[in-house]
Amino acid sequence: VRGVRGVGLLLGVALEGVAAADVAASCRSERLIVNAVGPDVIRLAPPLTLSAEEADLALGVLERAIDHAATHARRTEPV
């Protein structure tokens, strides 16, 4: 993660070394909906009723998705 920007609960996560579309697809497979709004930016827009527990669960999914995308990207890089 290169950085996070936004206001309130509407956040953009700038990624480094992974494609936002790959991260979004991995999140969807774990039932977390995020938007790839650029080649390297994920948008998070949770509901206003988000609890701390739900935020922790979502961050865990996002972390796994980024790790998965990074691992997959390393395997597909030319040697």
Side-chain angles (χ1 to χ4, degrees), residues 2 6 8 11 14-16 20 29-30 33 41 50 53 56 59 62-65 68-69 74:
R2 189 175 63 236
L11 300 172
L15 304 170
E16 189 170 316
S29 74
E30 291 198 50
I33 305 299
V41 178
L50 181 73
E53 181 180 271
D56 289 341
L59 287 176
L62 185 59
E63 181 179 13
R64 287 190 298 276
H68 180 266
R74 275 189 241 122

mmCIF file of all heavy atoms in Angstrom, residues 2 6 8 11 14-16 20 29-30 33 41 50 53 56 59 62-65 68-69 74:
data_model
loop_
_atom_site.group_PDB
_atom_site.id
_atom_site.type_symbol
_atom_site.label_atom_id
_atom_site.label_comp_id
_atom_site.label_asym_id
_atom_site.label_seq_id
_atom_site.Cartn_x
_atom_site.Cartn_y
_atom_site.Cartn_z
ATOM 1 N N ARG A 2 0.661 2.077 -1.013
ATOM 2 C CA ARG A 2 1.453 3.297 -1.140
ATOM 3 C C ARG A 2 0.870 4.429 -0.310
ATOM 4 O O ARG A 2 1.592 5.307 0.167
ATOM 5 C CB ARG A 2 1.534 3.678 -2.611
ATOM 6 C CG ARG A 2 2.493 4.801 -2.905
ATOM 7 C CD ARG A 2 2.646 5.088 -4.387
ATOM 8 N NE ARG A 2 1.380 5.517 -4.960
ATOM 9 C CZ ARG A 2 0.771 4.931 -6.000
ATOM 10 N NH1 ARG A 2 1.319 3.885 -6.572
ATOM 11 N NH2 ARG A 2 -0.364 5.387 -6.461
ATOM 12 N N GLY A 6 -8.718 10.295 1.409
ATOM 13 C CA GLY A 6 -10.163 10.373 1.409
ATOM 14 C C GLY A 6 -10.679 11.196 2.561
ATOM 15 O O GLY A 6 -9.918 11.809 3.311
ATOM 16 N N GLY A 8 -13.761 10.993 5.687
ATOM 17 C CA GLY A 8 -14.742 10.150 6.365
ATOM 18 C C GLY A 8 -14.529 8.689 6.030
ATOM 19 O O GLY A 8 -13.408 8.193 6.051
ATOM 20 N N LEU A 11 -12.837 6.197 1.136
ATOM 21 C CA LEU A 11 -11.379 6.152 1.087
ATOM 22 C C LEU A 11 -10.888 5.572 -0.228
ATOM 23 O O LEU A 11 -11.511 4.690 -0.805
ATOM 24 C CB LEU A 11 -10.834 5.297 2.232
ATOM 25 C CG LEU A 11 -11.172 5.749 3.643
ATOM 26 C CD1 LEU A 11 -10.726 4.700 4.645
ATOM 27 C CD2 LEU A 11 -10.523 7.076 3.935
ATOM 28 N N ALA A 14 -4.190 3.585 -2.470
ATOM 29 C CA ALA A 14 -3.242 3.526 -3.580
ATOM 30 C C ALA A 14 -2.326 2.328 -3.366
ATOM 31 O O ALA A 14 -1.692 2.199 -2.324
ATOM 32 C CB ALA A 14 -2.432 4.810 -3.644
ATOM 33 N N LEU A 15 -2.293 1.459 -4.354
ATOM 34 C CA LEU A 15 -1.522 0.221 -4.262
ATOM 35 C C LEU A 15 -0.211 0.349 -5.020
ATOM 36 O O LEU A 15 -0.093 1.144 -5.954
ATOM 37 C CB LEU A 15 -2.342 -0.933 -4.851
ATOM 38 C CG LEU A 15 -3.715 -1.150 -4.227
ATOM 39 C CD1 LEU A 15 -4.510 -2.153 -5.054
ATOM 40 C CD2 LEU A 15 -3.578 -1.614 -2.793
ATOM 41 N N GLU A 16 0.740 -0.466 -4.637
ATOM 42 C CA GLU A 16 2.030 -0.484 -5.319
ATOM 43 C C GLU A 16 2.402 -1.929 -5.608
ATOM 44 O O GLU A 16 2.410 -2.762 -4.703
ATOM 45 C CB GLU A 16 3.095 0.165 -4.441
ATOM 46 C CG GLU A 16 4.399 0.384 -5.151
ATOM 47 C CD GLU A 16 5.353 1.238 -4.335
ATOM 48 O OE1 GLU A 16 4.904 2.247 -3.770
ATOM 49 O OE2 GLU A 16 6.535 0.870 -4.269
ATOM 50 N N ALA A 20 -5.146 -3.141 -9.155
ATOM 51 C CA ALA A 20 -6.359 -2.925 -8.374
ATOM 52 C C ALA A 20 -7.458 -3.911 -8.778
ATOM 53 O O ALA A 20 -8.210 -4.395 -7.927
ATOM 54 C CB ALA A 20 -6.836 -1.490 -8.530
ATOM 55 N N SER A 29 -14.333 -12.500 -4.050
ATOM 56 C CA SER A 29 -14.404 -13.933 -3.753
ATOM 57 C C SER A 29 -14.626 -14.190 -2.264
ATOM 58 O O SER A 29 -15.078 -15.268 -1.887
ATOM 59 C CB SER A 29 -13.145 -14.650 -4.248
ATOM 60 O OG SER A 29 -12.038 -14.362 -3.420
ATOM 61 N N GLU A 30 -14.315 -13.194 -1.421
ATOM 62 C CA GLU A 30 -14.549 -13.306 0.023
ATOM 63 C C GLU A 30 -15.724 -12.425 0.459
ATOM 64 O O GLU A 30 -15.868 -12.094 1.627
ATOM 65 C CB GLU A 30 -13.292 -12.927 0.801
ATOM 66 C CG GLU A 30 -12.168 -13.933 0.640
ATOM 67 C CD GLU A 30 -11.127 -13.796 1.725
ATOM 68 O OE1 GLU A 30 -11.512 -13.753 2.915
ATOM 69 O OE2 GLU A 30 -9.939 -13.719 1.376
ATOM 70 N N ILE A 33 -17.096 -6.116 -1.215
ATOM 71 C CA ILE A 33 -17.205 -5.347 -2.447
ATOM 72 C C ILE A 33 -16.370 -4.077 -2.331
ATOM 73 O O ILE A 33 -16.582 -3.255 -1.442
ATOM 74 C CB ILE A 33 -18.677 -4.966 -2.736
ATOM 75 C CG1 ILE A 33 -19.562 -6.204 -2.754
ATOM 76 C CG2 ILE A 33 -18.785 -4.169 -4.028
ATOM 77 C CD1 ILE A 33 -19.192 -7.229 -3.804
ATOM 78 N N VAL A 41 -5.669 1.865 -7.779
ATOM 79 C CA VAL A 41 -6.431 2.478 -6.683
ATOM 80 C C VAL A 41 -7.713 1.696 -6.429
ATOM 81 O O VAL A 41 -8.477 1.416 -7.354
ATOM 82 C CB VAL A 41 -6.784 3.949 -6.977
ATOM 83 C CG1 VAL A 41 -7.610 4.552 -5.839
ATOM 84 C CG2 VAL A 41 -5.522 4.769 -7.189
ATOM 85 N N LEU A 50 -21.365 0.882 9.685
ATOM 86 C CA LEU A 50 -20.226 -0.019 9.853
ATOM 87 C C LEU A 50 -19.790 -0.077 11.313
ATOM 88 O O LEU A 50 -19.547 0.956 11.944
ATOM 89 C CB LEU A 50 -19.051 0.478 8.994
ATOM 90 C CG LEU A 50 -17.783 -0.354 9.016
ATOM 91 C CD1 LEU A 50 -17.984 -1.649 8.244
ATOM 92 C CD2 LEU A 50 -16.636 0.442 8.429
ATOM 93 N N GLU A 53 -16.095 -4.121 14.504
ATOM 94 C CA GLU A 53 -15.851 -5.531 14.191
ATOM 95 C C GLU A 53 -15.919 -5.769 12.683
ATOM 96 O O GLU A 53 -15.078 -6.479 12.110
ATOM 97 C CB GLU A 53 -16.874 -6.410 14.899
ATOM 98 C CG GLU A 53 -16.672 -7.886 14.645
ATOM 99 C CD GLU A 53 -17.705 -8.724 15.372
ATOM 100 O OE1 GLU A 53 -17.445 -9.083 16.533
ATOM 101 O OE2 GLU A 53 -18.770 -9.007 14.766
ATOM 102 N N ASP A 56 -12.784 -4.421 11.054
ATOM 103 C CA ASP A 56 -11.656 -5.339 11.248
ATOM 104 C C ASP A 56 -11.735 -6.515 10.285
ATOM 105 O O ASP A 56 -10.721 -6.918 9.704
ATOM 106 C CB ASP A 56 -11.611 -5.840 12.689
ATOM 107 C CG ASP A 56 -11.181 -4.778 13.675
ATOM 108 O OD1 ASP A 56 -10.583 -3.761 13.250
ATOM 109 O OD2 ASP A 56 -11.450 -4.951 14.890
ATOM 110 N N LEU A 59 -10.853 -5.291 6.752
ATOM 111 C CA LEU A 59 -9.416 -5.054 6.602
ATOM 112 C C LEU A 59 -8.643 -6.358 6.471
ATOM 113 O O LEU A 59 -7.663 -6.431 5.736
ATOM 114 C CB LEU A 59 -8.884 -4.219 7.762
ATOM 115 C CG LEU A 59 -9.289 -2.750 7.727
ATOM 116 C CD1 LEU A 59 -8.790 -2.031 8.976
ATOM 117 C CD2 LEU A 59 -8.772 -2.068 6.472
ATOM 118 N N LEU A 62 -9.169 -7.450 2.913
ATOM 119 C CA LEU A 62 -8.377 -6.601 2.031
ATOM 120 C C LEU A 62 -6.895 -6.967 2.095
ATOM 121 O O LEU A 62 -6.217 -7.052 1.066
ATOM 122 C CB LEU A 62 -8.585 -5.124 2.383
ATOM 123 C CG LEU A 62 -7.918 -4.107 1.468
ATOM 124 C CD1 LEU A 62 -8.399 -4.256 0.031
ATOM 125 C CD2 LEU A 62 -8.185 -2.701 1.977
ATOM 126 N N GLU A 63 -6.405 -7.218 3.280
ATOM 127 C CA GLU A 63 -4.995 -7.618 3.433
ATOM 128 C C GLU A 63 -4.716 -8.929 2.704
ATOM 129 O O GLU A 63 -3.720 -9.051 1.984
ATOM 130 C CB GLU A 63 -4.651 -7.748 4.913
ATOM 131 C CG GLU A 63 -3.207 -8.124 5.163
ATOM 132 C CD GLU A 63 -2.857 -8.234 6.645
ATOM 133 O OE1 GLU A 63 -3.781 -8.266 7.487
ATOM 134 O OE2 GLU A 63 -1.661 -8.296 6.945
ATOM 135 N N ARG A 64 -5.591 -9.916 2.870
ATOM 136 C CA ARG A 64 -5.406 -11.195 2.176
ATOM 137 C C ARG A 64 -5.472 -11.011 0.662
ATOM 138 O O ARG A 64 -4.710 -11.639 -0.081
ATOM 139 C CB ARG A 64 -6.453 -12.217 2.632
ATOM 140 C CG ARG A 64 -6.206 -12.753 4.027
ATOM 141 C CD ARG A 64 -7.098 -13.937 4.362
ATOM 142 N NE ARG A 64 -8.516 -13.624 4.339
ATOM 143 C CZ ARG A 64 -9.194 -13.092 5.349
ATOM 144 N NH1 ARG A 64 -8.556 -12.780 6.467
ATOM 145 N NH2 ARG A 64 -10.486 -12.867 5.250
ATOM 146 N N ALA A 65 -6.365 -10.146 0.197
ATOM 147 C CA ALA A 65 -6.515 -9.909 -1.237
ATOM 148 C C ALA A 65 -5.256 -9.267 -1.819
ATOM 149 O O ALA A 65 -4.815 -9.638 -2.913
ATOM 150 C CB ALA A 65 -7.736 -9.033 -1.493
ATOM 151 N N HIS A 68 -2.568 -11.925 -1.897
ATOM 152 C CA HIS A 68 -2.845 -12.868 -2.982
ATOM 153 C C HIS A 68 -2.471 -12.270 -4.331
ATOM 154 O O HIS A 68 -1.830 -12.917 -5.162
ATOM 155 C CB HIS A 68 -4.323 -13.257 -2.958
ATOM 156 C CG HIS A 68 -4.698 -14.227 -4.026
ATOM 157 N ND1 HIS A 68 -5.198 -13.821 -5.238
ATOM 158 C CD2 HIS A 68 -4.622 -15.582 -4.082
ATOM 159 C CE1 HIS A 68 -5.420 -14.878 -5.985
ATOM 160 N NE2 HIS A 68 -5.080 -15.956 -5.315
ATOM 161 N N ALA A 69 -2.860 -11.019 -4.564
ATOM 162 C CA ALA A 69 -2.537 -10.355 -5.830
ATOM 163 C C ALA A 69 -1.028 -10.184 -5.995
ATOM 164 O O ALA A 69 -0.502 -10.362 -7.092
ATOM 165 C CB ALA A 69 -3.240 -9.003 -5.905
ATOM 166 N N ARG A 74 3.903 -11.853 -8.792
ATOM 167 C CA ARG A 74 5.298 -12.320 -8.809
ATOM 168 C C ARG A 74 5.445 -13.570 -9.630
ATOM 169 O O ARG A 74 6.447 -13.767 -10.307
ATOM 170 C CB ARG A 74 5.788 -12.567 -7.380
ATOM 171 C CG ARG A 74 6.296 -11.324 -6.730
ATOM 172 C CD ARG A 74 6.966 -11.614 -5.403
ATOM 173 N NE ARG A 74 6.197 -10.878 -4.422
ATOM 174 C CZ ARG A 74 5.593 -11.397 -3.382
ATOM 175 N NH1 ARG A 74 5.678 -12.654 -3.118
ATOM 176 N NH2 ARG A 74 4.895 -10.647 -2.553
#
